[in-house]
Amino acid sequence: MTSPASKIELLRLTQAEWSERLDSPDRARAMARWIFSDEARALAHDDAPDSAAPDSITSTTPLSLSLPASIPAVSHRVLDRWRESLDFHVPRCRSRQRSSDGTIKYALAVGSGANIESVLIPARGRSTLCVSSQVGCTRHCAFCATARLGFRRNLRAEEIVGQFWRARHDAPQSSPLRNIVFMGMGEPLDNLDEVLRAIAILTQQPEPQLSARNITVSTSGVLPGMVRLLSESRVNLALSLNATTDETRRHLMPQTAQWPIGALLDLLRHDAQTNPGRDVFIEMVLFDSVNDSEDDARRLIDLLQGVNARVNLIAHNAFDGSPFRPTTSERLQRFKDIVLNAGIRCLTRVPRGQEIAAACGQLALRHA
Ligand code: SAH
């Protein structure tokens, strides 16, 4: 065993890296079991009570936890050798707001005044966690609240895993946390190295053992990142298309306009051949009179020929200062009927946690 030069974060290491450090795959597995155990989670007792005002906890430093004297199957001696070179930081919970539909929104501090948000969404049988990948966002979509924050920095893998580490224990017993969607703050494909590392940890054996098929990375359409993600990972992909012409897309999503809709969908067509098992979602936020016409629905059908994808429709979640109005339920239903009639799977996403500003595109303003 060699000692590393600098300190390394506990939630950052993959099983292969633990094996190398602890000189044994058995110890590596024991480490993973402990890190994701109730016992380890109980070390973080900073959780803001549900009733606390969002800003009642003012500290913005991450929480620093200490390793216990020993961990099952990892002896004192081995642990002591590594204790000095390991750090165990987790995002600090500044508030935990519960919505009447069971959705929980966390405001988490990751240091230097930087806050991120994650949203736990319980459903029948399983819960989903919507995680952030950046503080702020690199792509400034005209309709998204997060864009108002600008871009602060990429999250590190341990800060992404840390969101899961915290939220998992709040999922109802009947609905364990098994699904992750990268639909919180940030553009995950602009932080792909760290996102891939986080996915490797979340899907590792023996813990936390999520399935790649239950992880969805959502992108505003960063083509080079999509190419890499699709070739290196088996996770699902959501493409936030949001427009059926390049002109409208440029207006809504100016920062990804260099990649035309045709090129994005060609890649998905190609991937459907090589990875038929992957779930692909086309996300459409519908705005009143911008992209919600019958012509838009028909153009979408043409665009999606040969793309094996499900369309998810969502009415724009408005926020203070939003320049757009949401589509109406009649227009949304009409759009959906046209798409369904063409034999394309299409669902309407029901916003969750709206009263606590936890729905898509609403994250971040309150803690700016
Ligand atoms: N940057 C990634 C992931 C974060 S946004 C992406 O663009 O996909 C997650 C989803 O929320 C995207 O589908 C995005 O189009 C949608 N979204 C953003 N702002 C929204 C709003 N105000 N109302 C509804 N959906 C919104």
Side-chain angles (χ1 to χ4, degrees):
M1 282 192 284
T2 50
S3 294
S6 59
K7 286 201 171 194
I8 184 94
E9 284 290 342
L10 225 69
L11 290 181
R12 183 176 179 77
L13 292 177
T14 63
Q15 280 293 279
E17 291 164 341
W18 276 118
S19 272
E20 196 183 311
R21 280 190 166 69
L22 303 178
D23 235 6
S24 133
D26 285 344
R27 284 191 203 124
R29 281 192 287 274
M31 206 66 201
R33 278 195 199 94
W34 181 80
I35 289 171
F36 293 98
S37 68
D38 292 346
E39 185 194 318
R41 176 62 183 78
L43 296 174
H45 27 67
D46 65 322
D47 293 300
D50 288 348
S51 53
D55 288 322
S56 59
I57 292 175
T58 49
S59 171
T60 61
T61 53
L63 200 61
S64 179
L65 307 177
S66 335
L67 281 178
S70 68
I71 284 172
V74 183
S75 73
H76 230 277
R77 191 182 51 81
V78 174
L79 209 55
D80 280 348
R81 196 187 152 98
W82 286 93
R83 195 178 298 279
E84 293 305 308
S85 52
L86 289 172
D87 262 337
F88 191 3
H89 285 111
V90 295
R92 185 184 295 272
C93 185
R94 293 192 59 189
S95 81
R96 194 171 55 166
Q97 291 172 275
R98 225 175 256 270
S99 158
S100 54
D101 64 12
T103 303
I104 300 177
K105 180 167 85 165
Y106 304 83
L108 303 171
V110 290
S112 337
N115 292 318
I116 53 167
E117 296 185 322
S118 14
V119 182
L120 178 70
I121 309 158
R124 201 182 310 154
R126 61 174 48 177
S127 295
T128 298
L129 184 69
C130 176
V131 295
S132 293
S133 56
Q134 297 182 319
V135 183
C137 188
T138 34
R139 310 281 163 178
H140 303 165
C141 300
F143 51 85
C144 181
T146 305
R148 306 298 165 93
L149 293 176
F151 173 64
R152 289 282 287 275
R153 69 169 170 87
N154 282 326
L155 288 182
R156 293 182 290 273
E158 59 270 29
E159 294 166 329
I160 298 172
V161 175
Q163 296 170 60
F164 168 84
W165 186 89
R166 280 202 160 276
R168 178 155 83 151
H169 296 256
D170 291 340
Q173 260 187 355
S174 57
S175 307
L177 174 50
R178 296 233 176 84
N179 293 1
I180 302 279
V181 292
F182 283 83
M183 291 189 184
M185 295 162 68
E187 171 47 55
L189 298 190
D190 286 336
N191 184 19
L192 193 47
D193 286 338
E194 296 299 301
V195 165
L196 285 172
R197 175 180 275 273
I199 290 170
I201 295 166
L202 291 169
T203 54
Q204 79 193 358
Q205 307 284 342
E207 283 288 341
Q209 233 192 113
L210 299 182
S211 160
R213 301 294 315 274
N214 291 337
I215 297 180
T216 300
V217 172
S218 183
T219 180
S220 56
V222 179
L223 186 60
M226 285 168 65
V227 171
R228 187 172 159 214
L229 179 81
L230 294 177
S231 74
E232 293 184 22
S233 173
R234 295 176 52 235
V235 295
N236 304 319
L237 182 76
L239 170 62
S240 302
L241 191 65
N242 295 337
T244 61
T245 66
D246 284 321
E247 195 191 341
T248 306
R249 197 161 198 277
R250 196 171 311 120
H251 175 57
L252 293 171
M253 309 174 80
Q255 301 285 325
T256 46
Q258 67 263 49
W259 299 295
I261 292 173
L264 299 172
L265 297 179
D266 276 347
L267 176 66
L268 298 185
R269 253 176 229 111
H270 182 260
D271 184 66
Q273 309 284 319
T274 40
N275 292 295
R278 192 193 314 274
D279 286 337
V280 174
F281 307 101
I282 299 292
E283 307 287 317
M284 292 287 293
V285 181
L286 294 187
F287 308 95
D288 178 32
S289 307
V290 176
N291 61 355
D292 64 346
S293 69
E294 297 189 6
D295 281 349
D296 278 298
R298 289 192 200 96
R299 265 195 301 272
L300 182 62
I301 295 166
D302 289 343
L303 286 170
L304 294 183
Q305 293 307 315
V307 178
N308 182 21
R310 187 180 92 194
V311 175
N312 285 328
L313 301 178
I314 184 169
H316 173 49
N317 290 311
F319 51 89
D320 285 349
S322 166
F324 300 100
R325 290 182 310 271
T327 189
T328 63
S329 49
E330 295 76 29
R331 287 169 76 88
L332 189 139
Q333 187 59 46
R334 180 79 195 117
F335 195 108
K336 182 177 172 184
D337 287 343
I338 294 173
V339 174
L340 282 172
N341 280 336
I344 296 174
R345 289 164 296 157
C346 181
L347 288 182
T348 307
R349 291 231 317 253
V350 182
R352 298 280 304 262
Q354 250 175 338
E355 84 229 35
I356 53 169
C360 286
Q362 292 189 314
L363 297 186
L365 275 186
R366 307 245 166 114
H367 293 276

